[in-house]
Amino acid sequence: MKLKKLAALAAAAVLSVSMFAGCGGGQSTSTSGSQSSSTSGKKKVIGFAQVGAESGWRTAETASIKEIPKLDPNFELKFSDGQQKQENQIKAIRSFIAQKVDIIALDPVVENGWDTVLKEAKDNKIPVIIVDRNVKVADESLITAFLGSDMEEEGKRAAKIIIDKFGKDAKLNIAELQGTVGSTAMVGRKKGFDETIKDCPNYKIIKSQTGDFTRAKGKEVMEAFLKSDGDKINVLWSHNDDMAVGAIQAIEEYGKKPGKDIFIVSVDGIKDMFQLMADGKSNGIVECNPLLGPQLLDISKQVLSGNLKDKNVKSKEGVFTQDQAKAELPNRKY
Ligand code: AHR
């Protein structure tokens, strides 16, 4: 009895430490749904270590995953915002382990550096589901399941939009806005795009820099690209919509017409980007689905019942061009 009380007190202390860290610039945590199963023994608890809130896509993913307790009241969600820092996400995972959650869901900011903390989860018999971006670990048994997009395929699709428009023999100077360095979304999209344009001898990536998946940095980096090579760039390839939205502002301020003087392709499919494409300011969107809550719930149930159907679940996603934007806009859910 004494021991049980001590364990509950320790878990509460860990939670309040991580909440305090949130106020001081570390990760912030919150809980949706009522009392924790770790103390009440009733609900199943998912601890979700989110990347941050860097983009419209990310906001939509957070909202979708926070729906889990509404979709199934037998589940509770503990949420931690890592503010784009791996060390915050590692702290959150350790806090979830201390709180004895039933499942840890991790959307990792970068791919490497997870072996130790995920081994701690495994040693504590807590299954780990990787969501959206992936991890690279030496021991694959640290991961129970993966749910997310094929980022390499997204990069390939982005390149195909450009090839379909200009043909393989065109002479193009491409500016690339990369996502967060070391993230699957950046590494995979870049790889898929670069491999696909290998067949196009005169496609040149003349500028390439990270904008960290944010509007503000996308604008800032595009301003620098335009300052040095504004008259050479014909194509902008942006690893996400938010950076492209920032870049479109930079292009307009520079005095060029986005979508006309510079052909623009980006990944995600947020409403803002569809609106810009409907307005003729962008040319192609490769969809990346952030509405992962229902699938995460489903996989969690499978894991907890010992009945996992598929260790790797890939999202189904489309490709949209400017002529489809107006019709698709009312259908967008994020
Ligand atoms: O990991 C998914 C990517 O991360 C999205 O494309 C981007 O918008 C987000 O920040």
Side-chain angles (χ1 to χ4, degrees), residues 114-279:
W114 300 102
D115 299 73
T116 307
V117 75
L118 295 188
K119 176 150 186 334
E120 290 168 28
K122 189 179 175 192
D123 291 346
N124 282 276
K125 300 190 173 29
I126 302 177
V128 173
I129 302 175
I130 303 295
V131 183
D132 165 38
R133 300 178 184 177
N134 215 335
V135 293
K136 281 196 175 131
V137 282
D139 175 5
E140 278 294 321
S141 77
L142 300 181
I143 309 302
T144 303
F146 168 80
L147 161 67
S149 305
D150 184 338
M151 308 289 191
E152 213 175 301
E153 180 58 31
E154 289 171 351
K156 287 182 186 165
R157 289 178 179 168
K160 279 182 198 141
I161 294 176
I162 300 169
I163 295 171
D164 285 349
K165 168 73 183 171
F166 296 100
K168 285 191 172 171
D169 296 322
K171 195 170 178 303
L172 295 178
N173 290 324
I174 301 169
E176 176 185 31
L177 284 170
Q178 296 177 22
T180 301
V181 175
S183 67
T184 314
M186 175 263 160
V187 177
R189 288 170 190 169
K190 180 159 186 52
K191 185 166 181 253
F193 187 91
D194 290 355
E195 272 173 11
T196 309
I197 64 162
K198 268 189 193 148
D199 293 345
C200 311
N202 300 315
Y203 284 27
K204 287 201 176 70
I205 298 183
I206 59 166
K207 291 277 162 192
S208 183
Q209 204 179 306
T210 182
D212 215 10
F213 281 130
T214 70
R215 280 185 200 201
K217 286 200 188 146
K219 180 165 191 261
E220 192 184 303
V221 174
M222 192 67 199
E223 280 166 355
F225 286 173
L226 290 163
K227 203 169 171 195
S228 60
D229 282 295
D231 294 331
K232 290 192 196 142
I233 299 168
N234 336 97
V235 172
L236 171 65
W237 150 226
S238 176
H239 290 196
N240 86 339
D241 285 348
D242 278 80
M243 293 188 294
V245 172
I248 286 170
Q249 282 173 26
I251 294 167
E252 286 180 325
E253 283 168 23
Y254 183 77
K256 288 210 168 203
K257 289 197 173 72
K260 292 192 178 70
D261 300 329
I262 298 180
F263 187 88
I264 300 174
V265 177
S266 58
V267 184
D268 276 354
I270 61 170
K271 272 186 196 157
D272 285 0
M273 201 64 211
F274 266 90
Q275 186 59 62
L276 284 165
M277 199 155 82
D279 296 343

